[in-house]
Amino acid sequence: MITSFRMTSAVIGVVLLFLASIGGAAARDGDFFGFDSAAPWHVAADTLHYDKQTGEYIADGNVELTRQGKTLTADNVRFDQNSRQMTAEGHVVMTVGNDVLMGERMEMDMTAETGTIYRSTVFLAKNHFYIQGDRIRKTGPDSYAADRVSFTSCEPGKPAWQITGRNLNITVDGYGSLWNAALWAKKAPVFYVPYLFFPVKTERQTGLLVPRISYSERKWEVYEQPFYWAINESSDLTLYEYHMGRRGEKPGFEYRQALGPVSKLTLMADFFKDRKVNVEEGDEYGYGGDQWLRPNTDRYWVRGKYDQALPGGFSVKADVDVVSDQDYLKMFQDGYTGYEAADEYFEETFGRDLEDETAITRTSSLTVSRSWEQFNLNAEFQWNDNVIDRRWRENNEHTTVQRLPVMELDATKNTIFDTPLYYTMENEYLYGYREDGVRGHRLDLYPRFYLPFQLSHYLSIEPSVGLRETIWHIDQFNSDTHEDRRMSREIYDAQLDVSTEFYRIFSLNPERGTKLRHAIVPQAVYTYTPHEDQGDYPAFDDATDRIMEDNQVTYSLTNTFMLRKPKSTETKKDSSGLPARPAYEYIEICRLLIEQTYDINEAREDDPDEWKRKGERRPFSPVFIELDITPKKYVTFEGDAEWCQYTNDWLSYNAALDLSDSRGDSLFVEYRYALRSAETIYSRAELAVGDSLTLYADNERNLYDSQDIKTRAGCLYEASCWSIDVMYTVEPDERQYAFVITLNGLGGFGTEVAGADIEGPWVGAGD
């Protein structure tokens, strides 16, 4: 059972919102009680006079005082110039921006910065929040008290929910206390705390966060408790205790630091002494997807990212991802310290995600980069940790290549002096390191030259040639036999890109200027790379060390439909009174691409053994088709397919349809197919039943194996100041029942109940 109840933090959040509007020193903006005597007040009233005997200024009838964005209205206002006391009575209303304070009577000591408001209501517009109290007192520059208070985001009168309490005492940037705190649903109490003591800080606060409780067949009962430490303004640390009844303890931490506007650091780690091992294939402590067991009990995962701006326009990026074994991330996918939470956090914060949880090679790197107008420089140290290779080192050689370092200097396409020639450049230096096997240096220089031109203004032609020089210097060989330490390779490649465009513009609405542009772009690209025997060269990566021969033509036909329409239906006029030229928006409503490749070398192949190995000569590649359609704002279709002309089969096809409307209804369906290997369908639907109720459901099914991967259904009811979400989820090894109640302005609390299927855990599906 997973339980989340946020009442304590919610009450603190309400108090902080309350203080942001009525608290602080006298000169603070947004302070209901802060009246700076040096600032002038503008007074309007039915009558205004000065009583010499009492020394009071008296304003009667429809009194309105304004000053620096604050407005005070009342039936009567008195100000004693000698004692600096101000009293407002009768329909007292103080407005600061969109926030409003209302009461029957307000008394203020302008010198001591103290005062009292009787039978008061505070409205905070940002969260649509109401705070009511019999007497709200400002007892000092930063301290407040109230006899009886209530909080709600519902309209006053008969709120659907509210929190009540007595004897509220608060000190800004200190602590607060509330007696008899209770959460009410209409007139029924649902939660009660006799005494609540909490920090009242305007900054981040050290303390316990909401725990998570669950149950799993693999782990038994699970309790996850985070502790948050606000170290200083630029850094914080969260400590985690993750208890598993069957497996043991998994402590962890997450450290975050802001080093500047674009410089930041996050490091996460957790460690686990597992009581169970996977030493037999098919037991409940292993996972499918690989043939490797997991005999180790010392388990861990360390991950982190670091961005740092350097002088001169340089920047540093560091990534760390080290895991103990191939099953760790499959076991811990959810939760505070799970893979999914970390992957989402790194993607949102750093723009770089993690390797897939099933990847057995985890990459850690340190990169220094610099960009100019035409050049890009990257220097990277990259360590690839193959967990299988590391775990079974007694049975396997360690042949994983480490790039220590790899340096790239690239040039974007640019002209060569005042000639019609253009060039690009891709240069790379690599030191490839292996514990076992070949290691050494590699320098790869790869400039490319272009000569684009137009033929009769209709045909675009761009020939280009690439010249490649690769040099290796070897430090270590596979064996003791003599091999050349220095090797080099010179190779070239050529390309010819020919294309044209035909288009026609159709006027759909001449009065509004709505037009449709249909363009057809035929294109043919010929590429050629000669054959060269490269078997003796070192192999650090195939993309550079093994340049495959190439002699083929790729031809394609692209159709696009571009719609131009006015951004607004209103007819605007210019300064002379004539109709102004409307602003247009351009929308690509349809794109269709058809593409195929013809391999000339394959067509010329006359080796019968080669034909026998392939089955037959097949110079034509499968036809690739891609279609994107967006005919209207709420309709999108995307699809692609591959068709083989030799077997008359669709090798693959994928399609996705997304429908929605302004009401909130939506339907998404995605179908994926690969010949004799995979077939899945995913669907998601939301139905808005009136203004408050939404029904939703989604399903992912493996049609190839006739098995549901995940099914979920639920309903969301949203009232004006609260909502409830009820859902039911079924997976192969788990069922979940969940409901979450959200009180607007406070957050949510709810419960998830998870139960394992009666057939037991499903091997390979995770927890």
Side-chain angles (χ1 to χ4, degrees):
M1 189 170 87
I2 303 173
T3 304
S4 301
F5 189 78
R6 303 184 179 92
M7 180 174 176
T8 302
S9 60
V11 172
I12 295 171
V14 173
V15 174
L16 290 175
L17 288 172
F18 175 68
L19 291 171
S21 294
I22 70 171
R28 182 183 305 170
D29 290 338
D31 184 353
F32 281 126
F33 289 155
F35 295 102
D36 185 358
S37 59
W41 280 89
H42 301 279
V43 183
D46 292 344
T47 62
L48 177 64
H49 67 278
Y50 174 69
D51 190 330
K52 294 182 179 180
Q53 294 182 350
T54 61
E56 288 183 330
Y57 289 94
I58 302 172
D60 280 315
N62 299 311
V63 182
E64 181 177 282
L65 288 78
T66 58
R67 189 214 66 168
Q68 296 180 344
K70 295 184 178 71
T71 301
L72 172 66
T73 62
D75 294 340
N76 175 274
V77 175
R78 293 172 176 265
F79 177 69
D80 190 322
Q81 190 174 12
N82 297 320
S83 63
R84 310 292 295 172
Q85 299 286 328
M86 187 188 74
T87 303
E89 294 182 298
H91 305 94
V92 180
V93 178
M94 170 70 78
T95 303
V96 180
N98 294 322
D99 298 335
V100 181
L101 182 149
M102 298 171 287
E104 292 184 357
R105 177 183 174 88
M106 182 171 68
E107 300 171 351
M108 283 295 302
D109 185 326
M110 308 300 291
T111 303
E113 298 180 11
T114 60
T116 303
I117 301 178
Y118 299 88
R119 295 188 181 278
S120 59
T121 299
V122 178
F123 173 68
L124 305 176
K126 183 177 180 180
N127 286 62
H128 198 271
F129 220 85
Y130 293 91
I131 305 171
Q132 294 179 310
D134 288 345
R135 288 194 306 161
I136 298 178
R137 306 186 304 279
K138 184 175 184 182
T139 57
D142 294 304
S143 59
Y144 302 84
D147 295 335
R148 291 188 298 175
V149 293
S150 66
F151 318 108
T152 184
S153 60
C154 304
E155 296 295 329
K158 296 181 179 180
W161 68 268
Q162 63 178 328
I163 293 176
T164 63
R166 291 178 177 270
N167 302 327
L168 173 69
N169 289 279
I170 292 173
T171 300
V172 179
D173 286 330
Y175 292 88
S177 62
L178 180 67
W179 288 88
N180 298 325
L183 172 65
W184 297 76
K186 291 188 178 292
K187 295 183 179 181
V190 295
F191 189 81
Y192 172 78
V193 179
Y195 179 73
L196 187 64
F197 183 76
F198 51 87
V200 181
K201 302 285 187 178
T202 57
E203 300 176 350
R204 298 164 300 144
Q205 270 300 288
T206 297
L208 294 173
L209 301 180
V210 180
R212 292 188 178 186
I213 304 171
S214 61
Y215 175 79
S216 167
E217 285 286 342
R218 293 177 182 271
K219 308 169 188 174
W220 285 15
E221 74 277 4
V222 175
Y223 180 84
E224 189 175 4
Q225 177 63 67
F227 175 80
Y228 178 77
W229 177 20
I231 301 173
N232 52 43
E233 293 183 356
S234 61
S235 63
D236 54 48
L237 175 69
T238 305
L239 302 174
Y240 297 95
E241 167 56 23
Y242 192 109
H243 167 77
M244 292 165 282
R246 175 178 279 190
R247 311 296 288 269
E249 311 299 323
K250 184 173 75 76
F253 71 86
E254 179 179 345
Y255 176 76
R256 295 167 296 271
Q257 184 174 10
L259 305 169
V262 295
S263 302
K264 50 203 168 187
L265 165 68
T266 297
L267 181 63
M268 307 177 186
D270 39 77
F271 309 92
F272 179 30
K273 187 73 172 180
D274 200 345
R275 296 173 184 165
K276 306 296 182 179
V277 294
N278 169 218
V279 294
E280 294 183 5
E281 185 176 352
D283 66 28
E284 60 181 317
Y285 303 114
Y287 292 84
D290 61 66
Q291 72 275 25
W292 303 100
L293 302 176
R294 182 195 53 81
N296 58 297
T297 58
D298 294 324
R299 309 182 70 185
Y300 54 84
W301 185 29
V302 179
R303 63 276 189 200
K305 295 188 184 295
Y306 170 63
D307 286 357
Q308 178 67 58
L310 298 178
F314 286 87
S315 64
V316 171
K317 297 182 184 297
D319 297 81
V320 176
D321 188 356
V322 181
V323 70
S324 59
D325 53 78
Q326 75 277 9
D327 291 341
Y328 192 94
L329 302 184
K330 299 175 186 177
M331 181 176 180
F332 299 106
Q333 290 197 42
D334 54 6
Y336 283 123
T337 59
Y339 170 84
E340 293 179 356
D343 187 59
E344 182 179 355
Y345 169 81
F346 286 131
E347 175 66 28
E348 292 180 356
T349 306
F350 293 87
R352 308 189 301 277
D353 57 4
L354 297 167
E355 300 277 355
D356 188 79
E357 70 269 27
T358 59
I360 62 173
T361 300
R362 319 299 298 183
T363 300
S364 300
S365 63
L366 175 66
T367 305
V368 180
S369 60
R370 171 72 158 89
S371 294
W372 293 269
E373 183 178 353
Q374 300 176 8
F375 297 92
N376 297 300
L377 174 65
N378 289 281
E380 180 179 19
F381 292 84
Q382 186 183 97
W383 185 268
N384 299 299
D385 180 31
N386 186 308
V387 296
I388 298 297
D389 184 40
R390 170 164 46 83
R391 176 61 56 188
W392 301 95
R393 64 174 59 246
E394 64 274 16
N395 298 328
N396 294 275
E397 291 185 343
H398 296 266
T399 58
T400 303
V401 178
Q402 315 302 337
R403 303 162 71 85
L404 303 172
V406 55
M407 302 178 64
E408 298 174 344
L409 178 62
D410 299 334
T412 58
K413 197 172 185 179
N414 195 32
T415 58
I416 301 178
F417 302 113
D418 294 329
T419 70
L421 291 173
Y422 289 76
Y423 79 98
T424 59
M425 185 169 56
E426 297 177 11
N427 301 322
E428 180 187 82
Y429 164 75
L430 166 72
Y431 182 75
Y433 172 83
R434 291 185 179 95
E435 291 186 35
D436 303 299
V438 177
R439 70 174 71 148
H441 307 263
R442 184 188 71 199
L443 178 64
D444 185 59
L445 306 177
Y446 186 31
R448 189 172 197 87
F449 303 94
Y450 306 81
L451 180 60
F453 62 93
Q454 294 279 335
L455 185 61
S456 300
H457 303 287
Y458 294 108
L459 205 60
S460 297
I461 303 175
E462 184 181 71
S464 64
V465 60
L467 306 176
R468 194 161 207 153
E469 174 75 23
T470 309
I471 302 171
W472 293 268
H473 181 85
I474 307 305
D475 291 344
Q476 174 178 292
F477 296 100
N478 286 321
S479 63
D480 295 332
T481 59
H482 174 73
E483 298 185 44
D484 293 335
R485 289 194 173 272
R486 295 181 181 177
M487 290 174 277
S488 64
R489 177 193 63 194
E490 295 78 29
I491 196 169
Y492 72 94
D493 64 87
Q495 180 173 297
L496 179 63
D497 189 336
V498 181
S499 65
T500 189
E501 181 182 37
F502 306 97
Y503 70 89
R504 183 175 179 181
I505 298 177
F506 302 89
S507 182
L508 304 182
N509 190 331
E511 295 181 357
R512 298 189 58 204
T514 304
K515 297 183 178 182
L516 179 67
R517 183 181 188 271
H518 176 209
I520 301 175
V521 180
Q523 183 180 27
V525 179
Y526 172 72
T527 56
Y528 175 78
T529 303
H531 169 75
E532 180 168 340
D533 187 2
Q534 303 170 69
D536 293 335
Y537 298 137
F540 299 118
D541 60 72
D542 290 340
T544 301
D545 295 310
R546 299 293 183 266
I547 306 298
M548 304 303 295
E549 67 173 315
D550 189 10
N551 188 15
Q552 59 187 22
V553 178
T554 299
Y555 40 91
S556 63
L557 189 67
T558 305
N559 279 262
T560 59
F561 295 84
M562 185 72 68
L563 179 67
R564 188 191 80 166
K565 65 178 183 177
K567 290 185 177 180
S568 175
T569 58
E570 299 179 0
T571 302
K572 298 181 180 181
K573 296 183 179 180
D574 57 19
S575 57
S576 62
L578 297 175
R581 184 176 181 179
Y584 294 102
E585 61 178 334
Y586 296 84
I587 305 172
E588 186 178 81
I589 63 173
C590 181
R591 176 180 175 272
L592 172 63
L593 169 68
I594 303 175
E595 183 180 83
Q596 188 180 41
T597 297
Y598 178 75
D599 193 321
I600 299 174
N601 287 343
E602 178 77 6
R604 293 174 176 176
E605 179 62 57
D606 56 2
D607 186 349
D609 293 336
E610 189 70 14
W611 293 358
K612 185 177 181 181
R613 183 182 66 83
K614 295 180 179 180
E616 62 177 305
R617 186 185 309 182
R618 295 184 176 182
F620 289 97
S621 73
V623 178
F624 176 75
I625 305 172
E626 186 175 64
L627 176 64
D628 299 327
I629 304 176
T630 309
K632 293 185 178 181
K633 181 179 180 181
Y634 299 106
V635 180
T636 301
F637 174 84
E638 297 179 357
D640 61 74
E642 282 188 312
W643 178 75
C644 179
Q645 66 181 36
Y646 299 105
T647 62
N648 199 27
D649 286 325
W650 290 100
L651 302 182
S652 69
Y653 45 87
N654 311 294
L657 176 65
D658 193 354
L659 304 175
S660 61
D661 59 27
S662 57
R663 226 175 52 122
D665 303 317
S666 66
L667 174 64
F668 177 81
V669 180
E670 182 180 34
Y671 176 82
R672 293 186 171 276
Y673 170 83
L675 182 64
R676 290 188 289 274
S677 63
E679 186 178 11
T680 62
I681 186 169
Y682 172 77
S683 57
R684 181 184 70 246
E686 293 185 10
L687 176 63
V689 183
D691 297 332
S692 301
L693 181 63
T694 300
L695 306 179
Y696 62 87
D698 58 25
N699 173 265
E700 185 176 5
R701 181 171 178 79
N702 185 337
L703 301 176
Y704 191 76
D705 295 330
S706 300
Q707 184 177 41
D708 284 326
I709 299 172
K710 185 175 182 178
T711 302
R712 182 181 61 170
C715 63
L716 173 65
Y717 181 82
E718 296 178 290
S720 60
C721 57
W722 64 279
S723 66
I724 181 170
D725 191 359
V726 181
M727 68 189 77
Y728 173 62
T729 305
V730 179
E731 296 180 83
D733 64 339
E734 189 174 51
R735 291 170 294 143
Q736 287 187 345
Y737 308 87
F739 70 89
V740 177
I741 299 176
T742 300
L743 306 180
N744 295 356
L746 292 189
F749 63 93
T751 301
E752 292 185 39
V753 181
D757 197 8
I758 58 175
E759 297 179 357
W762 179 50
V763 177
D767 292 340

